[in-house]
Amino acid sequence: MIATGIDLGGTKIEVQLFGDDWAVAHRHRVPTPSDYGDLVTSIAEQIRWADEIAGRYVPVGVGAAGLLHPVTGLALTANLPASGKPFQRDIEAAIGRPITYVNDCRAMALSEAVFGVGQGRRTVVALILGTGIGGGIAVDGTILQGPTMTGGEFGHTAAPAHLVAKYNLPVVTCGCGRPGCTETYIAGPGMSRLAKALTGEHIDPPQIAARRTGDMAQVWTVWCEMAAELLHTLTMMVDPDLIVLGGGLSQIDGVVDDLTAAAERAQIGDFGTAKLVLAQGGDTSGARGAAYAAWQAEGAHNG
């Protein structure tokens, strides 16, 4: 066994133990507790389970939604009872050794860059289109991460003013506290918000997708335009070899083709656009990315 990865979500904790070939050798899943103390205890129990299976201590990576403050170490989480808590430190205290804590979107970016569809590419951007919008950047098989630890929070960039004005869209306050974030228009609830603004109808994304060639055609077009502006921004800032799409909205049939066309229209002149592809890691991607980050960190420490 080479490393342990934990995919920590709002409803489940899944621990995956990886062999030398980085395939999942063992996995175990338990429900996510709603109490913070129970959450820390449960994660510690899963790590001990993995240690027992491995027969020794192996590097541990925890991939979870949210952020850790780089100075205080306090967590900011939307779907876990850990906000305002020294989450990583408490897990480490419970097991008596360090762990690597990775945002789940960054973990997916790393997994796809090293093991998935991004293999052989130097710069890979992951963009998660789901209930929220997030992502990560991997360069040469390492997560690109700076001092604020917020790199990859793509959903909290400002929405394109020209499209907000063109379609007379409402400006609402995002869950992060800032008004007018891109997430408020292109995440799942944002797509529904577009439908309400443009058609007056309350409707969810699967229904919008199903009716996009009919009465929801404009909603789909505007959503693609808004999402393409984010793709354009990522291309201008990073110029990645590949943008890997994940999350529930990425599973809409034809979304890669439609977003590619919209991104080409948003691009400057006749310059190219970053290639869009779907993530291929499935339910292994987040845990494997976290495990690999921990394995990298262990190697750097020992080196």
Side-chain angles (χ1 to χ4, degrees), residues 136-245:
I137 303 169
V139 180
D140 292 332
T142 300
I143 299 171
L144 184 63
Q145 194 157 261
T148 73
M149 305 292 284
T150 58
E153 294 299 308
F154 306 141
H156 303 297
T157 56
H162 67 292
L163 294 180
V164 173
K166 177 180 178 180
Y167 297 110
N168 194 30
L169 300 175
V171 176
V172 301
T173 299
C174 180
C176 75
R178 284 168 35 87
C181 285
T182 295
E183 180 174 296
T184 64
Y185 300 99
I186 67 171
M191 185 186 287
S192 297
R193 185 175 290 113
L194 291 178
K196 182 67 170 66
L198 296 169
T199 72
E201 186 172 350
H202 291 282
I203 183 171
D204 61 26
Q207 292 174 301
I208 294 169
R211 292 159 53 183
R212 61 186 152 156
T213 59
D215 60 346
M216 288 292 146
Q218 185 191 26
V219 175
W220 181 252
T221 297
V222 173
W223 181 81
C224 286
E225 284 186 75
M226 299 289 282
E229 286 295 323
L230 178 55
L231 296 172
H232 174 70
T233 297
L234 292 173
T235 301
M236 294 294 99
M237 294 293 183
V238 181
D239 199 12
D241 297 299
L242 205 63
I243 297 179
V244 183
L245 301 182

Side-chain angles (χ1 to χ4, degrees), residues 41 52 59 91 103 123 134 138 160 180 184 197 229 249 252 273 278 295 298:
T41 298
E52 185 175 341
I91 296 171
N103 173 273
T123 305
T184 64
E229 286 295 323
L249 298 182
I252 295 173
T273 59
L278 294 178
W295 180 80
E298 181 85 357

Side-chain angles (χ1 to χ4, degrees), residues 6-300:
I6 294 178
D7 183 11
L8 174 57
T11 60
K12 54 87 176 157
I13 302 169
E14 177 159 323
V15 56
Q16 297 177 2
L17 192 56
F18 294 88
D20 292 348
D21 59 355
W22 286 100
V24 178
H26 302 275
R27 67 173 74 205
H28 183 59
R29 177 181 289 197
V30 296
T32 302
S34 57
D35 173 78
Y36 177 70
D38 292 341
L39 175 64
V40 172
T41 298
S42 183
I43 293 172
E45 288 172 351
Q46 307 320 305
I47 294 172
R48 293 189 192 101
W49 173 84
D51 288 344
E52 185 175 341
I53 295 292
R56 63 186 178 92
Y57 289 169
V58 294
V60 177
V62 175
L67 300 169
L68 293 181
H69 194 283
V71 177
T72 66
L74 301 182
L76 176 63
T77 58
N79 62 348
L80 296 169
S83 281
K85 305 289 189 181
F87 195 25
Q88 179 174 348
R89 292 201 299 267
D90 284 346
I91 296 171
E92 291 173 337
I95 63 169
R97 73 180 199 274
I99 64 166
T100 298
Y101 189 96
V102 188
N103 173 273
D104 57 351
C105 298
R106 266 62 104 196
M108 193 200 94
L110 182 59
S111 180
E112 290 295 329
V114 176
F115 305 105
V117 71
Q119 287 185 72
R121 310 289 186 125
R122 179 170 187 266
T123 305
V124 177
V125 169
L127 176 61
I128 313 302
L129 303 170
T131 305
I133 303 294
I137 303 169
V139 180
D140 292 332
T142 300
I143 299 171
L144 184 63
Q145 194 157 261
T148 73
M149 305 292 284
T150 58
E153 294 299 308
F154 306 141
H156 303 297
T157 56
H162 67 292
L163 294 180
V164 173
K166 177 180 178 180
Y167 297 110
N168 194 30
L169 300 175
V171 176
V172 301
T173 299
C174 180
C176 75
R178 284 168 35 87
C181 285
T182 295
E183 180 174 296
T184 64
Y185 300 99
I186 67 171
M191 185 186 287
S192 297
R193 185 175 290 113
L194 291 178
K196 182 67 170 66
L198 296 169
T199 72
E201 186 172 350
H202 291 282
I203 183 171
D204 61 26
Q207 292 174 301
I208 294 169
R211 292 159 53 183
R212 61 186 152 156
T213 59
D215 60 346
M216 288 292 146
Q218 185 191 26
V219 175
W220 181 252
T221 297
V222 173
W223 181 81
C224 286
E225 284 186 75
M226 299 289 282
E229 286 295 323
L230 178 55
L231 296 172
H232 174 70
T233 297
L234 292 173
T235 301
M236 294 294 99
M237 294 293 183
V238 181
D239 199 12
D241 297 299
L242 205 63
I243 297 179
V244 183
L245 301 182
L249 298 182
S250 75
Q251 299 306 305
I252 295 173
D253 186 48
V255 71
V256 168
D257 291 340
D258 288 356
L259 285 181
T260 296
E264 289 172 351
R265 291 191 293 271
Q267 177 60 297
I268 296 171
D270 61 355
F271 287 88
T273 59
K275 182 176 176 60
L276 295 185
V277 295
L278 294 178
Q280 64 178 207
D283 65 357
T284 298
S285 204
R288 187 164 56 188
Y292 189 76
W295 180 80
Q296 286 181 313
E298 181 85 357

